[in-house]
Amino acid sequence: MLWLAILAVWVTRKILWVLLYAGHAIAGLTMRQMEFDADRYEARFAGSDAFERTSRRLQELGVGMQMAYSQLGSSHREGRLVDDLPALTRINSGKLPDEIKKELDKAYAEGKTGWFDSHPCDKDRVANAKAEEAQGVVTVDAPATTLFTDFAAQSKATTWEYYREVFGPQLKKTSLEPIAKLMESEEKMEAADKRLASYYAGAARAHCALPLRSGHLTRPESPKAVAAQLKTARAAVEEAAPDAREQLKRMDKAKGDLVTALQLESPRKAGFKIGSKAVEERFQTEEGCRRVRDKARLTINQATMKLEGFQQSLADRLFAACELLLVDQVAEKLSDGGESRRRVEACLPVLVAIDGQMESLKKLFECEAPLGAVVGALQGQPDDLTINEIDRLVGHAHPAMTQVREVLIHHDYPFDHKSDGVTMGAFVLPDPIARADLSAVVNAMPEMTDRLFTVRRRLLGELASVAEKVEALLGLKPLPQPPTEEGEAAAA
């Protein structure tokens, strides 16, 4: 009787499964038909050809909006928000790289509508609209903004309402700034990024500290001797760059293995089971993860030792250029010599302070990935094993977070910020977090590391841009761009 009951339940479940998916498929079909019907109205109103142009334009605007959200994430950290979000989206969509446009074309060409999709793919929607062969009843070739009395004002008002909905009533209008100012800042960051890979020979990495002599500059007594040191260091960088990039490839691969091992090791310690089919053979056991982890750390340490000479040459080259900028005759020859000197004096001490905390940042790097894996695997209330593993990881991460904040609290934030007197420590971690507040530590850690390494990248880019101007005065052309793969890795 028990087996008959089990069989009856199994048959009933299968029948319900069929009905479930049949219902899902029918619902998807009717919803897609609704979309097709709406598209036909659009085609008859504006024309079938206009429908296709509009569909492709909407794809570009979607990417432009994603870029705008990314820009807002960066600017909001500095207390700034663009006052016209639709305008920012339009500008971004108008300067999409060719690579992104090719990906959009590929996605359009390869689009397929599934049985259970609620919306048809763009290719099918365009084909449906073209089948109408509609000429359209409205054929005015003018921008849609002409339908508004003052589109710019309406756009800004809508942007403000959207911000209030997202950030709450505590948001002040003083946080808003014109789009031109944000775009100017974006252009400067893009220019600095372009110089990042070239100046550092494709060998700049987030966790590779530059051994700069000091964060404070003094006017050199012998500018000629400093210029000679710069040329010597630059030649050493150029000569050692190919081997350094090979070492960094090894390091990047080892760090990838290390992250994977940590992401699989900690959930197992927390009591979660990970299917062997979901991971490579070497990661299928806790012992295997431990072996990969230890090997990766050994490889990273070996590569770091081999890179010491190259990193020193990079640091000597950069520091010498910064010192020469303090020579009045050098600064006067630059069109923005005074501003460049001010930027260097603001950026260099912060870079040295961040790099001085690299060991603490490495601890955060090794805790962030496994913590994310454990928290991501949680379903419902955590048990004692899970809490113990989270507590162990937080025990390693919290002292490092506290130390980094306490050191950086003594340095001003080196870029524009809406609030005066913001320190680097307060920027990366606005408020101290108690060790016992596990959830706060878990949530703050990725935000802190992201802010730190974003600032460090901007510092390296700004200093490189200024240093190249000084080198140009000495008759030195910028180093050639490294191979694409190394340049992209350095930028990342």
Side-chain angles (χ1 to χ4, degrees), residues 202-217:
R205 292 296 189 275
H207 294 93
C208 292
L210 281 179
L212 294 160
R213 294 197 296 274
S214 171
H216 301 283
L217 297 169

Side-chain angles (χ1 to χ4, degrees), residues 214-449:
S214 171
H216 301 283
L217 297 169
T218 55
R219 187 182 184 281
E221 295 180 2
S222 175
K224 289 184 178 180
V226 175
Q229 292 172 7
L230 187 154
K231 292 178 180 179
T232 300
R234 174 190 158 104
V237 167
E238 192 170 12
E239 181 181 357
D243 181 62
R245 289 195 289 265
E246 288 300 317
Q247 294 298 330
L248 285 166
K249 280 184 182 179
R250 292 180 61 226
M251 183 184 289
D252 292 341
K253 183 179 182 304
K255 282 184 176 178
D257 288 344
L258 177 60
V259 169
T260 302
L262 292 172
Q263 284 178 319
L264 294 171
E265 188 178 4
S266 281
R268 287 191 176 109
K269 289 181 179 178
F272 297 107
K273 292 183 179 180
I274 299 174
S276 59
K277 293 182 180 180
V279 297
E280 293 181 42
E281 184 177 351
R282 55 186 178 144
F283 297 112
Q284 289 183 359
T285 64
E286 193 171 331
E287 179 60 31
C289 288
R290 191 178 298 113
R291 284 197 297 268
V292 173
R293 180 197 67 194
D294 293 341
K295 182 180 178 182
R297 284 175 174 164
L298 178 62
T299 301
I300 292 170
N301 290 336
Q302 290 173 342
T304 301
M305 292 176 63
K306 291 180 180 179
L307 284 167
E308 285 180 354
F310 176 78
Q311 291 291 111
Q312 188 62 61
S313 297
L314 268 181
D316 291 344
R317 176 191 177 196
L318 182 64
F319 196 82
C322 294
E323 279 190 315
L324 288 174
L325 194 60
L326 295 187
V327 179
D328 293 336
Q329 294 90 328
V330 173
E332 289 169 1
K333 290 181 180 179
L334 297 176
S335 58
D336 59 346
E339 175 63 16
S340 294
R341 180 185 290 180
R342 187 185 70 81
R343 296 301 306 138
V344 166
E345 291 176 339
C347 292
L348 194 65
V350 180
L351 177 61
V352 171
I354 292 175
D355 283 7
Q357 298 302 307
M358 200 55 71
E359 289 303 316
S360 294
L361 294 179
K362 287 178 181 177
K363 288 181 182 178
L364 292 179
F365 168 76
E366 292 196 8
C367 290
E368 182 180 337
L371 258 178
V374 173
V375 173
L378 273 176
Q379 293 181 351
Q381 285 294 111
D383 57 20
D384 290 342
L385 269 178
T386 305
I387 293 175
N388 289 339
E389 180 61 14
I390 292 176
D391 186 66
R392 182 186 72 83
L393 292 169
V394 167
H396 289 293
H398 183 265
M401 294 172 69
T402 303
Q403 179 176 322
V404 170
R405 186 181 189 277
E406 288 179 352
V407 170
L408 297 183
I409 205 77
H410 302 291
H411 295 271
D412 292 332
Y413 180 66
F415 304 109
D416 291 337
H417 199 287
K418 271 290 185 180
S419 302
D420 295 329
V422 175
T423 66
M424 265 301 302
F427 177 76
V428 299
L429 189 63
D431 299 299
I433 297 175
R435 164 68 175 80
D437 194 346
L438 300 183
S439 63
V441 176
V442 171
N443 291 330
M445 192 187 308
E447 180 71 12
M448 181 180 188
T449 54

